[in-house]
Amino acid sequence: MSNNTAAAVAGLGAAARPLRFAIIGAGMSGILSAIKLDEAGYHDYVVYEKADRLGGTWRENTYPGIACDVPSHLYSYSFEPNPNWSHRYAPGVEIQAYFEAVAERHGIDQCIRFGTEIETADFVDGRWVLVTKMGERDVVDVIIAATGVLHHPNIPELAGLETFAGAAFHSARWDHGAQIDGARVGVIGTGSTAVQIVTALVDRVASITMFQRTPQWIAPQENPEFTPEQITQFHRHPEIIDEMRAEISRGFADRFSNAVVNADSPEMYVIEATCRANLEDNVHDPVLREKLRPDYRAACKRLVVSPDFYQAIQKPNAELVTDAIVTIEPAGVRTADGGLHDLDVLVLATGFRADRFMRPIHVTGRDGVRLDDVWAQRPVAHLSIAVPGFPNLFMLNGPNGPVGNFSLIEVAELQIAYVLALIDEIRMGRCTEISPSATATERFDVERIEAAKKTVWASGCRSWYLDDRGIPAAWPFTFDRFRDEMAAPNLHDYELI
Ligand code: N01
């Protein structure tokens, strides 16, 4: 029980009331929310999950080669260290199994309503009325939207895509029935996903063709396996994991997260030099090397990490195509040079719509204000957590949060502690509705936009970090500042009714 919560329980006033919660999404942050609600003494909650399995990103992304680019001992809940991670960057299947095991251990799996998609959420008489796609209704006091960041696949409008004769699918909808071994596989895209897929498949397929619209900088990152002796040590001395976690977190912040928010920092130049050396030292054919060389700064797009992509793309059965895609035909992909690239399988590693957040749920706040209208231009939120006019509705990994190669688990843990502190105001009877003020939200937005202009993400490239105006939407300050902001809410920024 947190200090806040303990104080709340001790000080329960006449106006205090039991609270009912809906958590939307049973991914990493939904599971976390349920565990933390239980810990805080709130047991009346339901986790709504539209799919039939928990795990979010790790349930949806099952493509060959999937792994997390945050070291696994950091990409774990702080309260659930896992001595059994097989690699420094564990594969997706281990991460999925980890979330399932944690949910089971905490009894959260019993509180999830699978196959239940929330369609509308309306704030009526001080409570949230939820209606599912099946027409079921629930009324709750608080919503925690744990709906993920990169969840809605970006399907490009490629002429003729539907005419392709083989299997064509988005990387987050991997068709495990498609014959891959020995096939001619095309991959559209050059992001983290495409790089992992190409590297994983090159030795299994007859040919692999990567369609590149924009080259990416690649940071070399070894992925050593933990030895049985190391794993035994992790079991015997969990404090080793804690130390490692703290060290990785600090290293990430100093060498990466704090560097990218200051485009002129010395650390930023180190990252660039590392990526440049990786390209120069490891790609031998000068023509291919120039095709792979970006004309923008490293980490402007989300930095791709890979120990062996350059080796993969130089194999005899791999081809990098840089001519623009003109049409998809039944036999393959036609490019601007007139060439037809014959394929059996076409993978769209074309990323996600990163501006959706809890949409397409139709959310209506106080006085009938619709979130679809408030966010029509772009999503806004105070400190990434909440939106003015939408009381008692809190987001984890919402708009403008830290997404720049951090552990989103660390981010969500800080956010849920902050959200619980806000909820304590209701439990203590000091208010029944809490939402950020428009003034505080506007002030934060103005400040973050100014800061965003100094980040490397604004240094001239196209990426999913940018909003419709080309302004980076990600948290543009240091991670230390995020930690400080999340340590306790400034209640002057909130309206308590
Ligand atoms: O998606 P992306 P992703 N025609 O948006 C191209 C996380 N992640 O799935 O660069 C041709 O980065 C597009 O081209 P361009 C991580 O946060 C993590 O790879 O816009 N090409 C780009 O090359 C990551 O950043 C891990 O010119 C088209 C690609 O598709 C995020 O997910 C693993 C196109 C999209 O790249 C997203 O990564 C995987 C078109 N019409 C993902 N439309 C790890 O933890 C798009 N593209 C390791």
Side-chain angles (χ1 to χ4, degrees), residues 63 67-69 150 156 190-193 196 213-214 301-302 349-351 462 464:
Y63 60 79
C68 186
D69 60 2
L150 299 172
T190 54
S192 304
T193 303
Q196 289 182 336
R213 186 164 70 178
T214 313
K301 285 171 176 287
R302 159 111 176 194
T350 43
R462 169 178 46 206
W464 64 264

mmCIF file with all atom_site columns, all heavy atoms in Angstrom, residues 63 67-69 150 156 190-193 196 213-214 301-302 349-351 462 464, ligand 1:
data_model
loop_
_atom_site.group_PDB
_atom_site.id
_atom_site.type_symbol
_atom_site.label_atom_id
_atom_site.label_alt_id
_atom_site.label_comp_id
_atom_site.label_asym_id
_atom_site.label_entity_id
_atom_site.label_seq_id
_atom_site.pdbx_PDB_ins_code
_atom_site.Cartn_x
_atom_site.Cartn_y
_atom_site.Cartn_z
_atom_site.occupancy
_atom_site.B_iso_or_equiv
_atom_site.pdbx_formal_charge
_atom_site.auth_seq_id
_atom_site.auth_comp_id
_atom_site.auth_asym_id
_atom_site.auth_atom_id
_atom_site.pdbx_PDB_model_num
ATOM   1   N N   . TYR A 1 63  ? 5.639  -11.812 -35.371 1.00 0.00 ? 63  TYR A N   1
ATOM   2   C CA  . TYR A 1 63  ? 6.434  -12.008 -36.597 1.00 0.00 ? 63  TYR A CA  1
ATOM   3   C C   . TYR A 1 63  ? 7.791  -12.625 -36.264 1.00 0.00 ? 63  TYR A C   1
ATOM   4   O O   . TYR A 1 63  ? 8.296  -12.482 -35.142 1.00 0.00 ? 63  TYR A O   1
ATOM   5   C CB  . TYR A 1 63  ? 6.593  -10.676 -37.348 1.00 0.00 ? 63  TYR A CB  1
ATOM   6   C CG  . TYR A 1 63  ? 7.275  -9.573  -36.567 1.00 0.00 ? 63  TYR A CG  1
ATOM   7   C CD1 . TYR A 1 63  ? 8.657  -9.529  -36.409 1.00 0.00 ? 63  TYR A CD1 1
ATOM   8   C CD2 . TYR A 1 63  ? 6.527  -8.546  -36.000 1.00 0.00 ? 63  TYR A CD2 1
ATOM   9   C CE1 . TYR A 1 63  ? 9.278  -8.502  -35.707 1.00 0.00 ? 63  TYR A CE1 1
ATOM   10  C CE2 . TYR A 1 63  ? 7.141  -7.515  -35.294 1.00 0.00 ? 63  TYR A CE2 1
ATOM   11  C CZ  . TYR A 1 63  ? 8.513  -7.507  -35.159 1.00 0.00 ? 63  TYR A CZ  1
ATOM   12  O OH  . TYR A 1 63  ? 9.126  -6.502  -34.451 1.00 0.00 ? 63  TYR A OH  1
ATOM   13  N N   . ALA A 1 67  ? 11.709 -9.146  -31.044 1.00 0.00 ? 67  ALA A N   1
ATOM   14  C CA  . ALA A 1 67  ? 12.325 -9.026  -29.718 1.00 0.00 ? 67  ALA A CA  1
ATOM   15  C C   . ALA A 1 67  ? 12.127 -7.584  -29.285 1.00 0.00 ? 67  ALA A C   1
ATOM   16  O O   . ALA A 1 67  ? 11.753 -6.739  -30.099 1.00 0.00 ? 67  ALA A O   1
ATOM   17  C CB  . ALA A 1 67  ? 13.814 -9.359  -29.798 1.00 0.00 ? 67  ALA A CB  1
ATOM   18  N N   . CYS A 1 68  ? 12.373 -7.327  -28.033 1.00 0.00 ? 68  CYS A N   1
ATOM   19  C CA  . CYS A 1 68  ? 12.227 -5.962  -27.538 1.00 0.00 ? 68  CYS A CA  1
ATOM   20  C C   . CYS A 1 68  ? 13.573 -5.272  -27.653 1.00 0.00 ? 68  CYS A C   1
ATOM   21  O O   . CYS A 1 68  ? 14.618 -5.894  -27.423 1.00 0.00 ? 68  CYS A O   1
ATOM   22  C CB  . CYS A 1 68  ? 11.767 -5.992  -26.087 1.00 0.00 ? 68  CYS A CB  1
ATOM   23  S SG  . CYS A 1 68  ? 11.407 -4.363  -25.443 1.00 0.00 ? 68  CYS A SG  1
ATOM   24  N N   . ASP A 1 69  ? 13.580 -3.982  -28.004 1.00 0.00 ? 69  ASP A N   1
ATOM   25  C CA  . ASP A 1 69  ? 14.869 -3.294  -28.095 1.00 0.00 ? 69  ASP A CA  1
ATOM   26  C C   . ASP A 1 69  ? 15.230 -2.586  -26.789 1.00 0.00 ? 69  ASP A C   1
ATOM   27  O O   . ASP A 1 69  ? 16.141 -1.763  -26.759 1.00 0.00 ? 69  ASP A O   1
ATOM   28  C CB  . ASP A 1 69  ? 14.924 -2.359  -29.312 1.00 0.00 ? 69  ASP A CB  1
ATOM   29  C CG  . ASP A 1 69  ? 13.852 -1.284  -29.265 1.00 0.00 ? 69  ASP A CG  1
ATOM   30  O OD1 . ASP A 1 69  ? 13.099 -1.239  -28.267 1.00 0.00 ? 69  ASP A OD1 1
ATOM   31  O OD2 . ASP A 1 69  ? 13.777 -0.497  -30.218 1.00 0.00 ? 69  ASP A OD2 1
ATOM   32  N N   . LEU A 1 150 ? 1.256  1.829   -29.986 1.00 0.00 ? 150 LEU A N   1
ATOM   33  C CA  . LEU A 1 150 ? 1.400  1.359   -31.371 1.00 0.00 ? 150 LEU A CA  1
ATOM   34  C C   . LEU A 1 150 ? 0.509  0.141   -31.540 1.00 0.00 ? 150 LEU A C   1
ATOM   35  O O   . LEU A 1 150 ? 0.942  -0.997  -31.399 1.00 0.00 ? 150 LEU A O   1
ATOM   36  C CB  . LEU A 1 150 ? 2.865  1.026   -31.663 1.00 0.00 ? 150 LEU A CB  1
ATOM   37  C CG  . LEU A 1 150 ? 3.795  2.230   -31.526 1.00 0.00 ? 150 LEU A CG  1
ATOM   38  C CD1 . LEU A 1 150 ? 5.248  1.807   -31.627 1.00 0.00 ? 150 LEU A CD1 1
ATOM   39  C CD2 . LEU A 1 150 ? 3.484  3.296   -32.552 1.00 0.00 ? 150 LEU A CD2 1
ATOM   40  N N   . PRO A 1 156 ? -0.766 0.889   -45.796 1.00 0.00 ? 156 PRO A N   1
ATOM   41  C CA  . PRO A 1 156 ? -0.575 1.914   -46.829 1.00 0.00 ? 156 PRO A CA  1
ATOM   42  C C   . PRO A 1 156 ? -1.551 1.739   -47.985 1.00 0.00 ? 156 PRO A C   1
ATOM   43  O O   . PRO A 1 156 ? -1.980 0.618   -48.275 1.00 0.00 ? 156 PRO A O   1
ATOM   44  C CB  . PRO A 1 156 ? 0.866  1.677   -47.293 1.00 0.00 ? 156 PRO A CB  1
ATOM   45  C CG  . PRO A 1 156 ? 1.170  0.273   -46.930 1.00 0.00 ? 156 PRO A CG  1
ATOM   46  C CD  . PRO A 1 156 ? 0.320  -0.077  -45.751 1.00 0.00 ? 156 PRO A CD  1
ATOM   47  N N   . THR A 1 190 ? 11.380 -0.142  -43.505 1.00 0.00 ? 190 THR A N   1
ATOM   48  C CA  . THR A 1 190 ? 12.763 -0.264  -43.021 1.00 0.00 ? 190 THR A CA  1
ATOM   49  C C   . THR A 1 190 ? 12.863 0.074   -41.534 1.00 0.00 ? 190 THR A C   1
ATOM   50  O O   . THR A 1 190 ? 13.937 0.426   -41.042 1.00 0.00 ? 190 THR A O   1
ATOM   51  C CB  . THR A 1 190 ? 13.688 0.700   -43.798 1.00 0.00 ? 190 THR A CB  1
ATOM   52  O OG1 . THR A 1 190 ? 13.134 2.021   -43.711 1.00 0.00 ? 190 THR A OG1 1
ATOM   53  C CG2 . THR A 1 190 ? 13.831 0.303   -45.252 1.00 0.00 ? 190 THR A CG2 1
ATOM   54  N N   . GLY A 1 191 ? 11.730 0.023   -40.817 1.00 0.00 ? 191 GLY A N   1
ATOM   55  C CA  . GLY A 1 191 ? 11.747 0.330   -39.387 1.00 0.00 ? 191 GLY A CA  1
ATOM   56  C C   . GLY A 1 191 ? 12.244 -0.858  -38.568 1.00 0.00 ? 191 GLY A C   1
ATOM   57  O O   . GLY A 1 191 ? 12.724 -1.865  -39.112 1.00 0.00 ? 191 GLY A O   1
ATOM   58  N N   . SER A 1 192 ? 12.099 -0.746  -37.257 1.00 0.00 ? 192 SER A N   1
ATOM   59  C CA  . SER A 1 192 ? 12.561 -1.802  -36.340 1.00 0.00 ? 192 SER A CA  1
ATOM   60  C C   . SER A 1 192 ? 11.973 -3.150  -36.721 1.00 0.00 ? 192 SER A C   1
ATOM   61  O O   . SER A 1 192 ? 12.657 -4.185  -36.688 1.00 0.00 ? 192 SER A O   1
ATOM   62  C CB  . SER A 1 192 ? 12.116 -1.492  -34.913 1.00 0.00 ? 192 SER A CB  1
ATOM   63  O OG  . SER A 1 192 ? 12.570 -0.243  -34.508 1.00 0.00 ? 192 SER A OG  1
ATOM   64  N N   . THR A 1 193 ? 10.687 -3.136  -37.108 1.00 0.00 ? 193 THR A N   1
ATOM   65  C CA  . THR A 1 193 ? 10.011 -4.386  -37.428 1.00 0.00 ? 193 THR A CA  1
ATOM   66  C C   . THR A 1 193 ? 10.604 -5.018  -38.683 1.00 0.00 ? 193 THR A C   1
ATOM   67  O O   . THR A 1 193 ? 10.951 -6.209  -38.687 1.00 0.00 ? 193 THR A O   1
ATOM   68  C CB  . THR A 1 193 ? 8.498  -4.122  -37.643 1.00 0.00 ? 193 THR A CB  1
ATOM   69  O OG1 . THR A 1 193 ? 7.971  -3.510  -36.475 1.00 0.00 ? 193 THR A OG1 1
ATOM   70  C CG2 . THR A 1 193 ? 7.749  -5.399  -37.930 1.00 0.00 ? 193 THR A CG2 1
ATOM   71  N N   . GLN A 1 196 ? 14.018 -6.533  -38.177 1.00 0.00 ? 196 GLN A N   1
ATOM   72  C CA  . GLN A 1 196 ? 13.993 -7.821  -37.471 1.00 0.00 ? 196 GLN A CA  1
ATOM   73  C C   . GLN A 1 196 ? 13.493 -8.939  -38.379 1.00 0.00 ? 196 GLN A C   1
ATOM   74  O O   . GLN A 1 196 ? 14.035 -10.046 -38.358 1.00 0.00 ? 196 GLN A O   1
ATOM   75  C CB  . GLN A 1 196 ? 13.100 -7.721  -36.222 1.00 0.00 ? 196 GLN A CB  1
ATOM   76  C CG  . GLN A 1 196 ? 13.732 -6.878  -35.121 1.00 0.00 ? 196 GLN A CG  1
ATOM   77  C CD  . GLN A 1 196 ? 12.876 -6.822  -33.863 1.00 0.00 ? 196 GLN A CD  1
ATOM   78  O OE1 . GLN A 1 196 ? 11.668 -7.005  -33.910 1.00 0.00 ? 196 GLN A OE1 1
ATOM   79  N NE2 . GLN A 1 196 ? 13.508 -6.534  -32.736 1.00 0.00 ? 196 GLN A NE2 1
ATOM   80  N N   . ARG A 1 213 ? 11.672 2.952   -48.599 1.00 0.00 ? 213 ARG A N   1
ATOM   81  C CA  . ARG A 1 213 ? 11.334 4.323   -48.999 1.00 0.00 ? 213 ARG A CA  1
ATOM   82  C C   . ARG A 1 213 ? 12.367 5.285   -48.424 1.00 0.00 ? 213 ARG A C   1
ATOM   83  O O   . ARG A 1 213 ? 12.788 6.221   -49.063 1.00 0.00 ? 213 ARG A O   1
ATOM   84  C CB  . ARG A 1 213 ? 9.916  4.667   -48.516 1.00 0.00 ? 213 ARG A CB  1
ATOM   85  C CG  . ARG A 1 213 ? 9.418  5.989   -49.002 1.00 0.00 ? 213 ARG A CG  1
ATOM   86  C CD  . ARG A 1 213 ? 7.922  6.141   -48.837 1.00 0.00 ? 213 ARG A CD  1
ATOM   87  N NE  . ARG A 1 213 ? 7.521  6.272   -47.440 1.00 0.00 ? 213 ARG A NE  1
ATOM   88  C CZ  . ARG A 1 213 ? 6.254  6.459   -47.040 1.00 0.00 ? 213 ARG A CZ  1
ATOM   89  N NH1 . ARG A 1 213 ? 5.285  6.496   -47.943 1.00 0.00 ? 213 ARG A NH1 1
ATOM   90  N NH2 . ARG A 1 213 ? 5.953  6.561   -45.762 1.00 0.00 ? 213 ARG A NH2 1
ATOM   91  N N   . THR A 1 214 ? 12.772 5.002   -47.183 1.00 0.00 ? 214 THR A N   1
ATOM   92  C CA  . THR A 1 214 ? 13.758 5.855   -46.508 1.00 0.00 ? 214 THR A CA  1
ATOM   93  C C   . THR A 1 214 ? 14.735 4.947   -45.762 1.00 0.00 ? 214 THR A C   1
ATOM   94  O O   . THR A 1 214 ? 14.302 4.057   -45.024 1.00 0.00 ? 214 THR A O   1
ATOM   95  C CB  . THR A 1 214 ? 13.049 6.758   -45.462 1.00 0.00 ? 214 THR A CB  1
ATOM   96  O OG1 . THR A 1 214 ? 11.901 7.353   -46.060 1.00 0.00 ? 214 THR A OG1 1
ATOM   97  C CG2 . THR A 1 214 ? 13.978 7.850   -44.963 1.00 0.00 ? 214 THR A CG2 1
ATOM   98  N N   . LYS A 1 301 ? 14.500 9.519   -36.650 1.00 0.00 ? 301 LYS A N   1
ATOM   99  C CA  . LYS A 1 301 ? 13.459 8.494   -36.562 1.00 0.00 ? 301 LYS A CA  1
ATOM   100 C C   . LYS A 1 301 ? 13.820 7.645   -35.349 1.00 0.00 ? 301 LYS A C   1
ATOM   101 O O   . LYS A 1 301 ? 14.976 7.655   -34.929 1.00 0.00 ? 301 LYS A O   1
ATOM   102 C CB  . LYS A 1 301 ? 13.514 7.574   -37.786 1.00 0.00 ? 301 LYS A CB  1
ATOM   103 C CG  . LYS A 1 301 ? 12.969 8.137   -39.073 1.00 0.00 ? 301 LYS A CG  1
ATOM   104 C CD  . LYS A 1 301 ? 13.325 7.175   -40.171 1.00 0.00 ? 301 LYS A CD  1
ATOM   105 C CE  . LYS A 1 301 ? 12.763 7.570   -41.509 1.00 0.00 ? 301 LYS A CE  1
ATOM   106 N NZ  . LYS A 1 301 ? 11.326 7.370   -41.647 1.00 0.00 ? 301 LYS A NZ  1
ATOM   107 N N   . ARG A 1 302 ? 12.880 6.891   -34.870 1.00 0.00 ? 302 ARG A N   1
ATOM   108 C CA  . ARG A 1 302 ? 13.213 5.989   -33.761 1.00 0.00 ? 302 ARG A CA  1
ATOM   109 C C   . ARG A 1 302 ? 14.384 5.106   -34.197 1.00 0.00 ? 302 ARG A C   1
ATOM   110 O O   . ARG A 1 302 ? 14.301 4.423   -35.228 1.00 0.00 ? 302 ARG A O   1
ATOM   111 C CB  . ARG A 1 302 ? 11.992 5.147   -33.413 1.00 0.00 ? 302 ARG A CB  1
ATOM   112 C CG  . ARG A 1 302 ? 12.291 3.884   -32.685 1.00 0.00 ? 302 ARG A CG  1
ATOM   113 C CD  . ARG A 1 302 ? 11.836 3.893   -31.278 1.00 0.00 ? 302 ARG A CD  1
ATOM   114 N NE  . ARG A 1 302 ? 12.064 2.611   -30.658 1.00 0.00 ? 302 ARG A NE  1
ATOM   115 C CZ  . ARG A 1 302 ? 11.527 2.242   -29.530 1.00 0.00 ? 302 ARG A CZ  1
ATOM   116 N NH1 . ARG A 1 302 ? 10.733 3.064   -28.894 1.00 0.00 ? 302 ARG A NH1 1
ATOM   117 N NH2 . ARG A 1 302 ? 11.797 1.088   -29.004 1.00 0.00 ? 302 ARG A NH2 1
ATOM   118 N N   . ALA A 1 349 ? 5.492  -4.108  -43.354 1.00 0.00 ? 349 ALA A N   1
ATOM   119 C CA  . ALA A 1 349 ? 6.080  -3.691  -42.061 1.00 0.00 ? 349 ALA A CA  1
ATOM   120 C C   . ALA A 1 349 ? 6.024  -2.164  -42.031 1.00 0.00 ? 349 ALA A C   1
ATOM   121 O O   . ALA A 1 349 ? 7.034  -1.474  -41.909 1.00 0.00 ? 349 ALA A O   1
ATOM   122 C CB  . ALA A 1 349 ? 7.499  -4.217  -41.937 1.00 0.00 ? 349 ALA A CB  1
ATOM   123 N N   . THR A 1 350 ? 4.799  -1.663  -42.179 1.00 0.00 ? 350 THR A N   1
ATOM   124 C CA  . THR A 1 350 ? 4.598  -0.241  -42.451 1.00 0.00 ? 350 THR A CA  1
ATOM   125 C C   . THR A 1 350 ? 4.152  0.556   -41.229 1.00 0.00 ? 350 THR A C   1
ATOM   126 O O   . THR A 1 350 ? 3.634  1.667   -41.364 1.00 0.00 ? 350 THR A O   1
ATOM   127 C CB  . THR A 1 350 ? 3.562  -0.093  -43.593 1.00 0.00 ? 350 THR A CB  1
ATOM   128 O OG1 . THR A 1 350 ? 2.481  -1.018  -43.360 1.00 0.00 ? 350 THR A OG1 1
ATOM   129 C CG2 . THR A 1 350 ? 4.192  -0.415  -44.935 1.00 0.00 ? 350 THR A CG2 1
ATOM   130 N N   . GLY A 1 351 ? 4.363  0.002   -40.059 1.00 0.00 ? 351 GLY A N   1
ATOM   131 C CA  . GLY A 1 351 ? 4.172  0.774   -38.836 1.00 0.00 ? 351 GLY A CA  1
ATOM   132 C C   . GLY A 1 351 ? 2.734  0.899   -38.388 1.00 0.00 ? 351 GLY A C   1
ATOM   133 O O   . GLY A 1 351 ? 1.855  0.126   -38.796 1.00 0.00 ? 351 GLY A O   1
ATOM   134 N N   . ARG A 1 462 ? 10.920 12.122  -41.661 1.00 0.00 ? 462 ARG A N   1
ATOM   135 C CA  . ARG A 1 462 ? 9.528  11.727  -41.439 1.00 0.00 ? 462 ARG A CA  1
ATOM   136 C C   . ARG A 1 462 ? 9.542  10.573  -40.434 1.00 0.00 ? 462 ARG A C   1
ATOM   137 O O   . ARG A 1 462 ? 10.347 9.658   -40.572 1.00 0.00 ? 462 ARG A O   1
ATOM   138 C CB  . ARG A 1 462 ? 8.940  11.259  -42.768 1.00 0.00 ? 462 ARG A CB  1
ATOM   139 C CG  . ARG A 1 462 ? 7.586  10.577  -42.648 1.00 0.00 ? 462 ARG A CG  1
ATOM   140 C CD  . ARG A 1 462 ? 7.034  10.180  -44.013 1.00 0.00 ? 462 ARG A CD  1
ATOM   141 N NE  . ARG A 1 462 ? 8.051  9.536   -44.828 1.00 0.00 ? 462 ARG A NE  1
ATOM   142 C CZ  . ARG A 1 462 ? 8.057  9.528   -46.163 1.00 0.00 ? 462 ARG A CZ  1
ATOM   143 N NH1 . ARG A 1 462 ? 7.118  10.143  -46.823 1.00 0.00 ? 462 ARG A NH1 1
ATOM   144 N NH2 . ARG A 1 462 ? 9.018  8.916   -46.818 1.00 0.00 ? 462 ARG A NH2 1
ATOM   145 N N   . TRP A 1 464 ? 7.059  8.387   -37.041 1.00 0.00 ? 464 TRP A N   1
ATOM   146 C CA  . TRP A 1 464 ? 5.795  8.291   -36.294 1.00 0.00 ? 464 TRP A CA  1
ATOM   147 C C   . TRP A 1 464 ? 5.814  9.150   -35.034 1.00 0.00 ? 464 TRP A C   1
ATOM   148 O O   . TRP A 1 464 ? 4.793  9.270   -34.350 1.00 0.00 ? 464 TRP A O   1
ATOM   149 C CB  . TRP A 1 464 ? 5.428  6.841   -35.998 1.00 0.00 ? 464 TRP A CB  1
ATOM   150 C CG  . TRP A 1 464 ? 6.355  6.047   -35.106 1.00 0.00 ? 464 TRP A CG  1
ATOM   151 C CD1 . TRP A 1 464 ? 7.347  5.203   -35.497 1.00 0.00 ? 464 TRP A CD1 1
ATOM   152 C CD2 . TRP A 1 464 ? 6.339  5.987   -33.677 1.00 0.00 ? 464 TRP A CD2 1
ATOM   153 N NE1 . TRP A 1 464 ? 7.957  4.628   -34.411 1.00 0.00 ? 464 TRP A NE1 1
ATOM   154 C CE2 . TRP A 1 464 ? 7.363  5.085   -33.276 1.00 0.00 ? 464 TRP A CE2 1
ATOM   155 C CE3 . TRP A 1 464 ? 5.575  6.601   -32.680 1.00 0.00 ? 464 TRP A CE3 1
ATOM   156 C CZ2 . TRP A 1 464 ? 7.623  4.806   -31.932 1.00 0.00 ? 464 TRP A CZ2 1
ATOM   157 C CZ3 . TRP A 1 464 ? 5.850  6.313   -31.346 1.00 0.00 ? 464 TRP A CZ3 1
ATOM   158 C CH2 . TRP A 1 464 ? 6.856  5.428   -30.992 1.00 0.00 ? 464 TRP A CH2 1
HETATM 159 O O1  . N01 B 2 .   ? 7.188  0.932   -38.004 1.00 0.00 ? 1   N01 B O1  1
HETATM 160 P P1  . N01 B 2 .   ? 7.910  2.302   -38.436 1.00 0.00 ? 1   N01 B P1  1
HETATM 161 P P2  . N01 B 2 .   ? 7.796  -0.342  -37.255 1.00 0.00 ? 1   N01 B P2  1
HETATM 162 N N1  . N01 B 2 .   ? 5.352  2.871   -48.918 1.00 0.00 ? 1   N01 B N1  1
HETATM 163 O O2  . N01 B 2 .   ? 6.829  3.341   -38.427 1.00 0.00 ? 1   N01 B O2  1
HETATM 164 C C1  . N01 B 2 .   ? 7.479  2.419   -44.326 1.00 0.00 ? 1   N01 B C1  1
HETATM 165 C C2  . N01 B 2 .   ? 8.396  -0.267  -32.080 1.00 0.00 ? 1   N01 B C2  1
HETATM 166 N N2  . N01 B 2 .   ? 9.025  -1.527  -32.356 1.00 0.00 ? 1   N01 B N2  1
HETATM 167 O O3  . N01 B 2 .   ? 6.676  -1.305  -37.087 1.00 0.00 ? 1   N01 B O3  1
HETATM 168 O O4  . N01 B 2 .   ? 10.426 5.724   -43.254 1.00 0.00 ? 1   N01 B O4  1
HETATM 169 C C3  . N01 B 2 .   ? 6.590  2.483   -48.565 1.00 0.00 ? 1   N01 B C3  1
HETATM 170 O O5  . N01 B 2 .   ? 9.126  2.581   -37.673 1.00 0.00 ? 1   N01 B O5  1
HETATM 171 C C4  . N01 B 2 .   ? 8.128  3.579   -43.652 1.00 0.00 ? 1   N01 B C4  1
HETATM 172 O O6  . N01 B 2 .   ? 8.836  4.365   -44.595 1.00 0.00 ? 1   N01 B O6  1
HETATM 173 P P3  . N01 B 2 .   ? 9.301  5.892   -44.224 1.00 0.00 ? 1   N01 B P3  1
HETATM 174 C C5  . N01 B 2 .   ? 9.419  0.822   -32.167 1.00 0.00 ? 1   N01 B C5  1
HETATM 175 O O7  . N01 B 2 .   ? 9.043  1.872   -31.316 1.00 0.00 ? 1   N01 B O7  1
HETATM 176 C C6  . N01 B 2 .   ? 9.959  -1.954  -31.501 1.00 0.00 ? 1   N01 B C6  1
HETATM 177 O O8  . N01 B 2 .   ? 9.013  -0.796  -37.888 1.00 0.00 ? 1   N01 B O8  1
HETATM 178 O O9  . N01 B 2 .   ? 8.100  6.546   -43.585 1.00 0.00 ? 1   N01 B O9  1
HETATM 179 N N3  . N01 B 2 .   ? 7.015  2.400   -47.310 1.00 0.00 ? 1   N01 B N3  1
HETATM 180 C C7  . N01 B 2 .   ? 9.021  2.850   -42.646 1.00 0.00 ? 1   N01 B C7  1
HETATM 181 O O10 . N01 B 2 .   ? 10.177 2.382   -43.255 1.00 0.00 ? 1   N01 B O10 1
HETATM 182 C C8  . N01 B 2 .   ? 9.289  1.249   -33.583 1.00 0.00 ? 1   N01 B C8  1
HETATM 183 O O11 . N01 B 2 .   ? 9.786  2.509   -33.845 1.00 0.00 ? 1   N01 B O11 1
HETATM 184 C C9  . N01 B 2 .   ? 10.587 -3.120  -31.757 1.00 0.00 ? 1   N01 B C9  1
HETATM 185 O O12 . N01 B 2 .   ? 9.677  6.454   -45.518 1.00 0.00 ? 1   N01 B O12 1
HETATM 186 C C10 . N01 B 2 .   ? 6.133  2.742   -46.361 1.00 0.00 ? 1   N01 B C10 1
HETATM 187 C C11 . N01 B 2 .   ? 8.144  1.657   -42.257 1.00 0.00 ? 1   N01 B C11 1
HETATM 188 O O13 . N01 B 2 .   ? 7.185  1.507   -43.291 1.00 0.00 ? 1   N01 B O13 1
HETATM 189 C C12 . N01 B 2 .   ? 7.805  1.149   -33.744 1.00 0.00 ? 1   N01 B C12 1
HETATM 190 O O14 . N01 B 2 .   ? 7.440  -0.037  -33.067 1.00 0.00 ? 1   N01 B O14 1
HETATM 191 C C13 . N01 B 2 .   ? 10.306 -3.879  -32.852 1.00 0.00 ? 1   N01 B C13 1
HETATM 192 C C14 . N01 B 2 .   ? 4.827  3.153   -46.632 1.00 0.00 ? 1   N01 B C14 1
HETATM 193 C C15 . N01 B 2 .   ? 7.406  1.886   -40.952 1.00 0.00 ? 1   N01 B C15 1
HETATM 194 O O15 . N01 B 2 .   ? 8.354  1.990   -39.919 1.00 0.00 ? 1   N01 B O15 1
HETATM 195 C C16 . N01 B 2 .   ? 7.314  1.048   -35.147 1.00 0.00 ? 1   N01 B C16 1
HETATM 196 O O16 . N01 B 2 .   ? 8.202  0.218   -35.874 1.00 0.00 ? 1   N01 B O16 1
HETATM 197 C C17 . N01 B 2 .   ? 9.363  -3.427  -33.712 1.00 0.00 ? 1   N01 B C17 1
HETATM 198 C C18 . N01 B 2 .   ? 4.451  3.218   -47.992 1.00 0.00 ? 1   N01 B C18 1
HETATM 199 N N4  . N01 B 2 .   ? 3.236  3.636   -48.360 1.00 0.00 ? 1   N01 B N4  1
HETATM 200 C C19 . N01 B 2 .   ? 8.731  -2.252  -33.448 1.00 0.00 ? 1   N01 B C19 1
HETATM 201 N N5  . N01 B 2 .   ? 4.194  3.420   -45.464 1.00 0.00 ? 1   N01 B N5  1
HETATM 202 C C20 . N01 B 2 .   ? 11.590 -3.533  -30.832 1.00 0.00 ? 1   N01 B C20 1
HETATM 203 O O17 . N01 B 2 .   ? 11.430 -3.400  -29.638 1.00 0.00 ? 1   N01 B O17 1
HETATM 204 C C21 . N01 B 2 .   ? 5.088  3.183   -44.490 1.00 0.00 ? 1   N01 B C21 1
HETATM 205 N N6  . N01 B 2 .   ? 6.265  2.778   -45.012 1.00 0.00 ? 1   N01 B N6  1
HETATM 206 C C22 . N01 B 2 .   ? 12.811 -4.098  -31.390 1.00 0.00 ? 1   N01 B C22 1
#
